[in-house]
Amino acid sequence: MHDPRNRHMQAVDKILQYLKSSPGKGLLFKREDTLGMKIYTDADYAGSITDRKSTSGYCMFLGNSLVTWRSKKQDRVSRSSAEAEFRALAQGMCEGLWMEIILDDLKIKIDSPVQLYCDNKFAISIAHNPVQHDRTKHIEIDRHFIKDNLDRGFMITTHVPTGLQLADIFTKGLPQGRFQDLVSKLGMIDIHLPT
């Protein structure tokens, strides 16, 4: 906002065109017998051309219903894609813990450990490895936080192939076909389309 350019106006125009073309889109929540929590986390490594900070994104499902999502620029520059993904993993885990507190207040129990999906195998390896490496000292706090929650069995990490990573929609500019595919996988429907 402090230095608007023509490309910014073009991006705003595309967003407004999308919103105008989809007034009936929304989320449909269906009742389910079992309640599991799944969280997809992702990051775009050094995606900002201005300061080379990465953007983290996550989306959380209760059962098959999308209940929360977020995209946010990370507060510091990551030195590797694994570090950027690891920070996104920590943010997704914080969201899961927050949702657990809310559900507990409502006397709702989750049926199984939370599934935390990440498409970076090295970030998952760091989360499970109790040995401190020189190359991970700068993310030590996040590592201990994640390891503690994995050890207590609250969450389990699962590798998801990049092609199945739902959180991509929150961290990257995508081609229209991939964008539409992810929108449908997130559970968005259009009430104006015939059934």
Side-chain angles (χ1 to χ4, degrees):
M1 290 176 55
H2 63 280
D3 187 20
R5 302 278 170 97
N6 191 31
R7 68 177 183 264
H8 299 116
M9 192 60 183
Q10 291 170 346
V12 168
D13 189 44
K14 284 185 179 184
I15 292 168
L16 292 174
Q17 286 175 10
Y18 174 75
L19 292 174
K20 185 177 180 183
S21 70
S22 54
K25 285 209 174 175
L27 297 171
L28 177 65
F29 298 98
K30 297 178 183 177
R31 182 184 173 139
E32 298 177 35
D33 293 332
T34 60
L35 188 63
M37 188 187 307
K38 297 179 286 190
I39 304 170
Y40 290 82
T41 64
D42 194 35
D44 72 334
Y45 174 56
S48 172
I49 58 172
T50 310
D51 57 11
R52 288 301 180 196
K53 291 181 180 174
S54 303
T55 300
S56 295
Y58 60 81
C59 55
M60 180 191 307
F61 291 82
L62 286 177
N64 290 318
S65 299
L66 178 66
V67 292
T68 183
W69 59 93
R70 186 172 187 189
S71 178
K72 182 182 178 188
K73 187 188 262 190
Q74 293 180 358
D75 59 350
R76 56 183 85 104
V77 176
S78 296
R79 292 172 25 197
S80 67
S81 61
E83 181 181 342
E85 294 274 357
F86 193 75
R87 286 201 169 105
L89 204 64
Q91 287 181 341
M93 188 171 279
C94 285
E95 186 75 3
L97 292 168
W98 173 78
M99 184 60 71
E100 179 192 36
I101 292 167
I102 290 174
L103 293 173
D104 192 50
D105 287 347
L106 297 171
K107 308 292 187 236
I108 299 171
K109 294 292 178 203
I110 296 175
D111 297 331
S112 57
V114 175
Q115 292 281 333
L116 192 59
Y117 293 95
C118 177
D119 62 1
N120 188 296
K121 289 181 180 179
F122 190 65
I124 292 172
S125 172
I126 293 171
H128 287 277
N129 189 353
V131 177
Q132 182 66 35
H133 297 288
D134 286 342
R135 60 185 166 189
T136 61
K137 281 185 182 174
H138 49 288
I139 54 174
E140 182 179 355
I141 302 299
D142 283 342
R143 191 181 66 75
H144 285 289
F145 168 71
I146 290 174
K147 181 77 172 119
D148 182 54
N149 284 291
L150 292 173
D151 287 347
R152 71 182 182 100
F154 173 67
M155 291 192 183
I156 53 176
T157 55
T158 306
H159 179 260
V160 61
T162 301
L164 300 175
Q165 176 56 276
L166 301 182
D168 268 357
I169 198 168
F170 302 109
T171 60
K172 299 167 182 70
L174 300 170
Q176 185 176 5
R178 175 87 172 123
F179 177 81
Q180 293 300 337
D181 180 49
L182 289 177
V183 163
S184 68
K185 286 180 180 175
L186 290 175
M188 288 189 69
I189 61 164
D190 192 336
I191 62 171
H192 298 303
L193 290 178
T195 55

